[in-house]
Amino acid sequence: MKNDKIKNQYRINDQIRVREVRIVSDDGSTVVPTRQALDMARAQGVDLVEISPNAKPPVCRLIDYSKFLYQQKKRAKELKAKQVKVEVKEIRFGPQTDEHDYQFKLKHAKEFLEDGNKVRAYVFFRGRSILFKEQGEVLLLRFANDLEEYGKVEHMPSLEGKKMFLYLAPKKAGAVKKSQQALDREKRAQEELEAANAAAEAQEEEAEMPANGGLFANAKISAEALKKLKGGE
């Protein structure tokens, strides 16, 4: 189907029904009557191929049509190979994210960025933990700083509903086409993250507020201290 599309894109020989055409070659270009151009093609044992029909006059080449189609298909294939599909990988943090979990997700984020993917990291606030959204911002800023070598911030932390998002893009330009090994690594990393997220959600259901030792522990202590100070006024 694709080959037919390319084949039907160009007019050749007697299909070209204009008074004159511009013949282009490595030596330059010249405008000649179409009948003369057809005679030139026959004399050389090639085809008259119209490559730019909208030009005034239309531009043609004297070339074997099969060879011309091969060149066009090859060029299209090369352009497609250079196009890299950029995916957005998600990294989820919860109010009880501890240091081990943080490093685990940081490692995978580095791999995603190195493979040319974007990363969307977010902190999900469950219930009253939304009171400590500042701590979520601190966490995401630390995350961005730790990934400074691998990615650049596209969007600073912002709160959307119960989630605070941070967007990162890979730093290296012109990422090459991913190998199957890289794709397999990404798949494994995504599966590990999903398992970790499921475990984190189960823990959050057991305790709405973070336990001591988590990244939000200091926020809880600070809030309680502030409450005491206000009570003493």
Side-chain angles (χ1 to χ4, degrees), residues 193-229:
L193 284 171
E194 288 174 0
N197 289 339
E201 287 177 5
Q203 290 179 354
E204 289 168 15
E205 289 176 358
E206 294 178 1
E208 185 176 280
M209 299 302 290
N212 291 338
L215 290 175
F216 284 77
N218 291 334
K220 181 178 178 182
I221 295 171
S222 298
E224 290 175 350
L226 181 60
K227 185 177 180 182
K228 289 180 181 179
L229 286 173

Side-chain angles (χ1 to χ4, degrees), residues 58-141:
V59 178
C60 297
R61 286 185 63 189
L62 298 176
I63 188 174
D64 182 271
Y65 190 45
S66 298
K67 181 180 179 181
F68 175 77
L69 286 179
Y70 173 77
Q71 291 174 346
Q72 295 303 108
K73 293 170 188 174
K74 184 179 179 181
R75 185 176 293 112
K77 187 176 181 180
E78 289 173 349
L79 288 173
K80 185 177 180 181
K82 290 180 180 178
Q83 294 176 348
V84 179
K85 184 180 179 182
V86 178
E87 297 181 26
V88 179
K89 300 295 185 178
E90 230 172 39
I91 303 288
R92 179 186 184 279
F93 293 102
Q96 287 183 288
T97 300
D98 57 25
E99 186 63 23
H100 178 269
D101 190 33
Y102 175 83
Q103 294 298 331
F104 171 78
K105 292 178 178 179
L106 180 67
K107 171 179 171 289
H108 284 311
K110 289 178 181 178
E111 292 175 354
F112 290 149
L113 291 169
E114 284 182 326
D115 288 336
N117 297 300
K118 291 187 176 183
V119 170
R120 178 172 66 179
Y122 70 91
V123 178
F124 178 71
F125 300 96
R126 184 186 297 275
R128 292 176 61 194
S129 65
I130 192 67
L131 296 173
F132 307 111
K133 57 181 180 292
E134 292 82 4
Q135 295 298 315
E137 184 176 9
V138 170
L139 169 62
L140 292 176
L141 289 175

Side-chain angles (χ1 to χ4, degrees), residues 175-187:
V176 296
K177 188 176 181 180
K178 297 176 187 176
S179 64
Q180 188 59 47
Q181 184 179 7
L183 293 173
D184 292 341
R185 183 172 65 246
E186 285 181 18
K187 183 179 178 181

